[in-house]
Amino acid sequence: MTASDAQDWEEFRRRRDAGLAAPHSVLAQVGLHWVEAGAGELSFPGVPGTWALEGGRLVSRGAPSDFTLLAEPAQVQVIEVGGERTLTLLDPGDVQLGVTDAGVRIDVVRRGDRTGLRPLDPATPRRAGFTGVPVFPHDPSAVLEGSFRADPTTVTVGSALPWLTQQLPSPGVLVLDVDGEQVELRVTGDGTLILTDETSGTETSDWRQVPVEIDGERARVDLNRALNFPSAFSAFGTCPRPPEGNHLPIPVRAGERRVEPTER
């Protein structure tokens, strides 16, 4: 449980920016199209073929032969008749389906009880002009230490989509002493803190995430590693919001700064 290390942080930032610069990162998102049940065969801009929900499964017809499948055979059934391919999704989760000849990847996403298609275009201006996420200068003192109370449960949270709620597993509660006040924050996943602070929505994105180091009943949060969610960059994000009450009553000028989400 030590102060934040500048050299480690710089390497962390290099890896983060390199990941965002990858061809099909969140910066490449250019759409999110929902395939509605009962709507018949639908077509969408930038997405090859037609799409429909049939018997609860996503079915695509008419994708050209140069649409290269990325999905594993266990994830998608492929039937070719008379030179036409019919794709039936077998995997009920998110799937990286395939890539067009222009390099656009088509992902299948499942959110709530809805199924969507997300094209990711490496040529989008958002990615082409990316030079790194704006960040606050490294602050070795931007580390909060506290206690961890095991309390495994599932919490319901909102998301970047106004109609969508999500259920997140939670291992317990982080308790911090902030300016003499005890603040309890719900940890989610394997040790992630989704939170707001007094800069949220102005200097920083509407909410951010940061890993929590848990060592028995002790815990540590290095706020220099606070990251924006994909929805902070792209208008097509579906990211979870913080659990109720996950707010630090101080301005956290550490980690990633605010960026404006765009459609391209």
Side-chain angles (χ1 to χ4, degrees):
M1 299 286 182
T2 60
S4 181
D5 181 270
Q7 187 173 347
D8 286 349
W9 177 78
E10 288 171 2
E11 177 58 30
F12 168 77
R13 290 305 321 165
R14 282 193 290 270
R15 292 195 306 269
R16 165 67 166 169
D17 285 340
L20 288 170
H24 296 110
S25 74
V26 60
L27 300 183
Q29 292 182 2
V30 291
L32 181 57
H33 311 293
W34 299 105
V35 183
E36 303 293 350
E41 294 194 350
L42 303 171
S43 58
F44 304 103
V47 181
T50 62
W51 303 81
L53 285 174
E54 299 179 2
R57 284 184 168 166
L58 182 65
V59 177
S60 173
R61 297 182 176 88
S65 59
D66 58 10
F67 180 65
T68 303
L69 288 178
L70 298 176
E72 299 292 333
Q75 295 178 301
V76 59
Q77 179 189 66
V78 182
I79 299 176
E80 294 199 33
V81 178
E84 179 177 283
R85 280 192 303 178
T86 298
L87 310 178
T88 301
L89 269 293
L90 307 176
D91 192 318
D94 290 2
V95 176
Q96 294 181 9
L97 184 60
V99 178
T100 71
D101 63 339
V104 177
R105 195 179 81 196
I106 307 300
D107 289 356
V108 177
V109 299
R110 321 282 185 163
R111 298 294 182 270
D113 60 355
R114 301 180 73 179
T115 297
L117 300 168
R118 176 183 280 146
L120 297 100
D121 183 356
T124 185
R126 185 198 302 115
R127 176 180 173 271
F130 178 68
T131 58
V133 184
V135 297
F136 292 96
H138 179 263
D139 181 358
S141 68
V143 176
L144 300 179
E145 296 192 1
S147 62
F148 176 75
R149 184 176 73 245
D151 180 28
T153 188
T154 300
V155 293
T156 300
V157 300
S159 79
L161 297 175
W163 54 266
L164 177 66
T165 58
Q166 303 185 45
Q167 283 70 49
L168 303 179
S170 168
V173 174
L174 173 66
V175 183
L176 301 172
D177 188 338
V178 180
D179 289 344
E181 174 187 350
Q182 271 205 340
V183 178
E184 295 193 355
L185 305 163
R186 174 64 65 173
V187 179
T188 55
D190 293 328
T192 299
L193 189 60
I194 308 175
L195 78 164
T196 59
D197 66 84
E198 293 299 301
T199 69
S200 299
T202 54
E203 298 171 74
T204 61
S205 59
D206 292 350
W207 64 94
R208 293 183 288 173
Q209 60 181 324
V210 64
V212 181
E213 300 174 41
I214 300 172
D215 180 11
E217 294 183 353
R218 300 172 64 201
R220 176 182 182 271
V221 180
D222 183 353
L223 295 169
N224 290 291
R225 299 192 179 220
L227 299 181
N228 295 331
F229 274 91
S231 56
F233 302 94
S234 166
F236 306 110
T238 63
C239 309
R241 289 181 178 270
E244 185 176 357
N246 269 25
H247 178 77
L248 280 176
I250 55 173
V252 177
R253 295 186 177 93
E256 293 186 345
R257 292 177 177 265
R258 182 177 181 83
V259 294
E260 292 302 324
T262 62
E263 294 193 353
R264 292 192 66 83

